[in-house]
Amino acid sequence: MGNNPLFLSLSLCFLVLFNACLATNDNFRYVSRRFGEAGQSRYRECRLDKLEAVEPSRRIEAEGGVIEMWDPSHEMFRCAGVAIQRYIIDPNGLLLPQYTNAPRLIYIERGRGFKGVVLPGCPQTYQESQQSGGAFRDQHQKIRHVRAGDLFAVPAGSAHWTYNDGNERLIAVVLLDVSNHANQLDFHPRTFYLAGNPEEEFPEWRLQWKREQGRHMSGRKEGSSNKNNIFYAFDDRVLAEILNINIELARKLRGEDDFRRNIIKVEGGLEVIRPPRSRGGRRGEEQEWEEEQEEEMERQRESHQRSRWDENGLDETICSMKMKENIGDASRADMYTPEAGRLSTTNSHRFPILRWLQLSAERGVLYRNAMYVPHWNQNAHSVIFVTRGRARVQVVNCRGQTVFDGELQQRQVLVVPQNFAVLKKASEDGFEWVSFKTNDNAMINTLAGRTSAMRAFPVQVIASAYRMSTEEARRLKFNREETTLIPPRMSSRWPA
Amino acid sequence: MGNNPLFLSLSLCFLVLFNACLATNDNFRYVSRRFGEAGQSRYRECRLDKLEAVEPSRRIEAEGGVIEMWDPSHEMFRCAGVAIQRYIIDPNGLLLPQYTNAPRLIYIERGRGFKGVVLPGCPQTYQESQQSGGAFRDQHQKIRHVRAGDLFAVPAGSAHWTYNDGNERLIAVVLLDVSNHANQLDFHPRTFYLAGNPEEEFPEWRLQWKREQGRHMSGRKEGSSNKNNIFYAFDDRVLAEILNINIELARKLRGEDDFRRNIIKVEGGLEVIRPPRSRGGRRGEEQEWEEEQEEEMERQRESHQRSRWDENGLDETICSMKMKENIGDASRADMYTPEAGRLSTTNSHRFPILRWLQLSAERGVLYRNAMYVPHWNQNAHSVIFVTRGRARVQVVNCRGQTVFDGELQQRQVLVVPQNFAVLKKASEDGFEWVSFKTNDNAMINTLAGRTSAMRAFPVQVIASAYRMSTEEARRLKFNREETTLIPPRMSSRWPA
Amino acid sequence: MGNNPLFLSLSLCFLVLFNACLATNDNFRYVSRRFGEAGQSRYRECRLDKLEAVEPSRRIEAEGGVIEMWDPSHEMFRCAGVAIQRYIIDPNGLLLPQYTNAPRLIYIERGRGFKGVVLPGCPQTYQESQQSGGAFRDQHQKIRHVRAGDLFAVPAGSAHWTYNDGNERLIAVVLLDVSNHANQLDFHPRTFYLAGNPEEEFPEWRLQWKREQGRHMSGRKEGSSNKNNIFYAFDDRVLAEILNINIELARKLRGEDDFRRNIIKVEGGLEVIRPPRSRGGRRGEEQEWEEEQEEEMERQRESHQRSRWDENGLDETICSMKMKENIGDASRADMYTPEAGRLSTTNSHRFPILRWLQLSAERGVLYRNAMYVPHWNQNAHSVIFVTRGRARVQVVNCRGQTVFDGELQQRQVLVVPQNFAVLKKASEDGFEWVSFKTNDNAMINTLAGRTSAMRAFPVQVIASAYRMSTEEARRLKFNREETTLIPPRMSSRWPA
């Protein structure tokens, strides 16, 4: 085993799971009596007879970009206890400061930008030196660069903002884990904005979602007098007293007559204190390699610091905590089969904040006609978002029934429930995706290949169970040497 | 950061939270089909459009004192997954031995007494020496002194009793965390008495609560043949056999014809083995200081012992576990602003049993017209109980709607749901309270002051988000130097 | 305390509980709208007014044995959040490879066999040496012997199989903890078979269970086209491509026309690679003693290895993890009273995989007319399965009402809810049982005997609470010296 890095890696993952056995990942299903029919409870009902590839059904068009929402009342999302949204932020666009009742796991599909996450009690370590500006020096909490391929974690209730400082759109798909233990409100995603006059992202009425489907409502709905900014509710005079400012300035906190909505455009660009993104103007592979090195160092540094926690229970690590990990770069792949594709996974061992969020993710690329071996998720739901290409996907339940068999395309989401068997085959165009998993150390069991359940069984068990000769059982068990990704045959038999 | 004790303290709190990230605090809402309308499910429904300051709606008058209960079916309590009751024990009053399906966090408002909590498997370390009495020596488990300002923790299912050995009434407000993971029964608080003929504290029918409101039923309800003492159900002869006593004595366990109810009066006072409360007869500040020193020593001793656990996984610490911490003494305050007031908080780092209970608490005192800056609870509900005075309180939801704006008075309870923004301003009389929080390391984010989210944002983000000049954004960000409590202006603008 | 091993053991248990305080054991109740009446929610409804001794209500007769199922929709099982089944495997019978959405805790009532559990990522450490066979050498994951008295743990989603290599039937009772955090599907037990054409163990419709009662349906139900084998759903050609085998062989995976059902018979016996069960042909006590020694060594080895985890977070321990512990052997008893019986308990400290499963168990033997002192389960439900004999059992709720008072017989199951008081008295035939507990460190509080709550109270508290003289209170407190099991009096007063 020691000689096989794959065994080691999988075993490590399993070990971490065991080690973190206390980490409950109670993924409950959300039931609103409004959503229910005839007042019936559908709590924790993952008895899905039919899955569906789902596209966004709602869209907010703001000054500085667009937000797309998937219907959170869809039974697939209720089963997984999650909600999905996607940000498309224009260059110079700023997603307003906000916090949510659920932790967020964010995958950056495209572009670059930076992000601030407020950690209460942490110092303002980004400081302008005296000589850099005028009489006044700003100082604020750490700001983190993001770029395509990054997985970014935001704890529930933590205020955060995002800015696109690049030349192309910054696109990010977001998992909101509303059934996470960190959410003590109900299972509906609720975003609390700290500024502006934003539109509500997930209105609560299913009816509304239904009605909106197909026409992509973008304006504010009639009759709504909500401002969706927590400052809106406070009295100007009280705010002025509390902040020790005048009333006119306090009034600006309330966002009245602000029609820019959730994402605003910063004229002239946003200037904040932050370290340079790239040194020496290098681009491409070299720069990526350098960023990876930095991340690796950050990882090691943090790992070291964590052991210091164990010693004295007191450290400043949380304030410089690693909040992102790149799982998109080709060079980062954990599994790579030249003719089939690559996979990058992460878990709370590599990316410790995931232990807090109880989530993890997998980034995959399948080349044309390649397959992901059939497998089941042992301890998590898998929420697949397609970033590029197409695949034929089949999902099977415990009764041997196919609950999904169809094509999955870009921008579609499919939930594969825990323990259900799933098989993917890329189309002629290939297939690229990110899977969010509802466990910080998600494990899969494959049904074919060198690390499969088949290999774990004795040949005689296989021969007896399938009524085969010993020789046939050996072929079944040993003929496939790949572990996860399978290159296409010359004549592929399953139409994608 | 190292120079700022507040940063250190908040950061430590955050750090502990992360460290204890596995500590789920699944606060579920309780739904009885009896409480529901038309059989509809309202599980985990924290979609409160309207909060309310709630007073006790039921009262049990017993021989040795009174118990007040808040209606556990109120949607605010169902949202937070908790129940509230309050004991008023007369001098020489003994609250009968009992255990509950939920952990208890108890705040001693007033008076003094002592408390026994049964820890199964722990030795009877309080022993009478031979010469102290007659032929027979008693021995029993540890007894703990309590006094005003103490926070006391009782695990779910642990038997406990309380006695008032002072000259004034012993008053205690109790949070029962029915949605705690330690409760595997339903979300209704159920107290199992081990003696007497007590009245049921939380009858299950909402109807009953409704009917009782305003008339404070104190006698036993008609038609009830329950005795609410688990010994009542067992056969006298069987008890006699098991306890190896005669049947007449066994019969006394059943509490028949005992009309003293839940709190009894001990004629002549209760004599138990316990260390002296105060040495040298000192009183007041000096004595308090001394008790604090003892508590600090206990804390350190325990901390030391806990590290011994880590070494060999075996220790006797649990049996001498710290079950109380004083958060009421002025000298204990974690935050103090001379003209505004003081705050004492605790968490599982300071008071380790809270890690088990997944609860924590905050004790606050606001001087006349002072304010608690607007803030949100990041990871907990906050259950406020008013011990003295009055305040105007405003609570705001994610839509910028005010869900509570009113006065909060002594003996009233208000639940501030997780993530909702809240602002408090003391009346002319000042305001004193205790807040129970449904997380063992509850964190707040303030909206103004030196450690606020505003300070974490860059000035340019503030300027862009609120459409201000850079200069205005700097004022908004830096004009308020206090962190949490704000002294009144000369002419205060918000009527309390 | 140090001189009393019982104190030490109980205290250790309590200590471990505290240490593992983060280990939530959220035992939720399952509600299907199909099971509910009039669409009403009964989620987490452990308000049982009446308990019942329940026998299996469904039975699958397969080629190599029988599976019995208890109705999972019974309110007692819904309260505890568990399901129960029992395997009776004939000699040479093989229970087909499968995995379930819930962890399993298995008690081997009778017989012997071996079991494979697939741990993804672990190496195939059982290897045939070159000289042992023909040209081809098999290798597979570890195989574990089981025998009567073993408690065996299988994680949720882990594939496993069982084979009877003995001369008598292998009988095992299985707890499926469907409300475990490891199950993210609904609360219904769902078994995913990897082979054959098995019958569904727990069909979802209550109606069906009702109809089946009494007639023990054993054939496949009409109209059912399910094959209950996940391979059944996949296309032969796709499977052939993935496994790199021909289509004829791939077709055999689907189990068509296989009428052997869930347990098959292996003609000529199953040959797998495994270490010899017993050395030198010894039998009986001596062999048991030797196996115990091996288990003890395994325990120590693992304990040592676990400390290595703490150092570097990386080890191979999970792959050689201890999955069983014998709690049936008389010599293993933790409590033994010569004239009353014996008790063996385990918890996650002795048997670490239980920390992952959040379950534990107790094995008990009561001799004729002996009693188990009345007690309550502090932090768990107790699911009692009777392996032999009969007892009279009484269960009491918080209102002092008897919710069960009757005889419990072999093959019956009774759930004693958390905190309810329970008393057991063996019949003339004696009484033997196994109790599954829904907490990995379940604790009891006794109401009589040397470690009881009574002993923890001061004599004066007892005298005041029960209106007794001090002398009577002393008798009540000190007259019973046994801790848990009480020998019968000459003239026993409670008819069994």
Side-chain angles (χ1 to χ4, degrees), chain C residues 147-166:
Chain C
R147 63 181 176 93
D150 279 348
L151 194 67
F152 197 98
V154 180
S158 272
H160 61 102
W161 54 269
T162 308
Y163 178 73
N164 180 352
D165 72 333

Side-chain angles (χ1 to χ4, degrees), chain B residues 21 42 146 152 180 257 349 425 433 488:
Chain B
C21 61
R42 279 180 297 185
V146 293
F152 197 97
N180 195 282
D257 306 320
H349 186 76
K425 180 173 185 174
W433 76 96

Side-chain angles (χ1 to χ4, degrees), chain A residues 246-264:
Chain A
N246 63 46
I247 291 181
E248 290 66 37
L249 187 52
R251 189 166 296 139
K252 292 190 176 180
L253 290 171
R254 302 178 64 209
E256 284 176 298
D257 306 320
D258 184 344
F259 300 106
R260 301 173 300 170
R261 288 196 282 275
N262 310 49
I263 303 173
I264 65 175

Side-chain angles (χ1 to χ4, degrees), chain A residues 471-479, chain C residues 243 245-246 249:
Chain A
E471 182 45 39
E472 285 175 322
R474 281 177 181 155
R475 272 190 274 144
L476 178 61
K477 181 170 172 176
F478 292 108
N479 268 17
Chain C
L243 290 157
I245 52 177
N246 63 45
L249 186 52

Side-chain angles (χ1 to χ4, degrees), chain A residues 15 44 47 418-419 438 466, chain C residues 183-184 190 194 204 315:
Chain A
L15 182 154
R44 197 160 169 169
R47 252 172 304 163
Q418 182 188 20
N419 287 2
T438 58
Y466 298 112
Chain C
N183 174 21
Q184 297 189 9
R190 300 177 185 286
L194 292 168
E204 273 182 79
D315 208 286

Side-chain angles (χ1 to χ4, degrees), chain A residues 1-2 6-8 10-12 14-19 21-29 37-47 49 79-80 349 369 371-374 376 378-381 394 396-402 417-423 425 438-439 443-445 447-461 464-469 472-480 486-489 491-495, chain C residues 22-24 26 28 30-34 39 41 43 94 96-97 99-101 118-124 136-141 143 155-159 161 178-187 190-196 200 204 226-235 237-238 240-247 249 252-253 255-260 264 266 270-272 306 309 313-319 321 352-353 355-356 358:
Chain A
M1 173 180 171
L6 178 64
F7 279 148
L8 189 68
L10 285 177
S11 169
L12 172 59
F14 199 74
L15 182 154
V16 166
L17 175 87
F18 180 74
N19 220 350
C21 62
L22 308 180
T24 66
N25 194 325
D26 319 69
N27 268 53
F28 307 107
R29 255 50 46 208
E37 289 156 311
Q40 291 170 348
S41 171
R42 279 179 296 184
Y43 171 80
R44 197 160 169 169
E45 184 164 356
C46 268
R47 252 172 304 163
D49 294 333
C79 162
H349 187 75
N369 296 331
M371 298 178 100
Y372 195 132
V373 294
W376 74 90
Q378 176 153 353
N379 55 1
H381 299 302
Q394 186 180 359
V396 173
N397 73 8
C398 64
R399 292 198 204 90
Q401 294 166 323
T402 295
Q418 182 188 20
N419 287 2
F420 283 42
V422 58
L423 168 63
K425 179 173 185 174
T438 58
N439 192 302
M443 285 190 299
I444 65 164
N445 283 265
L447 289 167
R450 207 171 69 241
T451 53
S452 69
M454 287 293 171
R455 291 280 182 119
F457 298 142
V459 161
Q460 290 296 338
V461 167
S464 302
Y466 298 112
R467 296 178 298 173
M468 289 175 180
S469 72
E472 285 175 322
R474 281 177 181 155
R475 272 190 274 144
L476 178 61
K477 181 170 172 176
F478 292 108
N479 268 17
R480 172 59 67 191
I486 303 181
R489 272 198 193 168
S491 62
S492 186
R493 290 162 195 253
W494 202 43
Chain C
L22 307 181
T24 66
D26 318 71
F28 306 108
Y30 170 54
V31 185
S32 158
R33 62 178 153 168
R34 287 157 186 157
S41 171
Y43 171 78
L94 171 69
L96 289 175
Y99 59 92
T100 311
N101 61 332
V118 177
L119 301 176
C122 288
Q124 294 132 28
F136 193 89
R137 298 171 304 164
D138 193 14
Q139 55 180 29
H140 52 73
Q141 286 194 1
I143 283 173
S158 272
W161 54 269
V178 288
S179 58
N180 195 282
H181 64 86
N183 174 21
Q184 297 189 9
L185 295 178
D186 61 11
F187 294 106
R190 300 177 185 286
T191 298
F192 295 71
Y193 275 91
L194 292 168
E200 193 172 3
E204 273 182 79
N226 300 329
K227 297 299 175 185
N228 303 312
N229 165 357
I230 56 174
F231 281 111
Y232 182 76
F234 292 109
D235 187 275
R237 292 167 305 161
V238 177
E241 180 175 345
I242 288 165
L243 290 157
N244 196 24
I245 52 177
N246 63 45
I247 291 181
L249 186 52
K252 293 190 174 179
L253 291 172
E256 284 177 296
D257 305 320
D258 183 345
F259 300 106
R260 301 172 301 169
I264 64 174
V266 181
L270 192 72
E271 278 177 40
V272 300
R306 275 206 309 148
W309 286 10
L314 169 62
D315 208 286
E316 297 168 22
T317 306
I318 194 75
C319 295
M321 180 167 53
I353 198 176
R355 199 184 305 167
W356 189 1
Q358 312 243 317

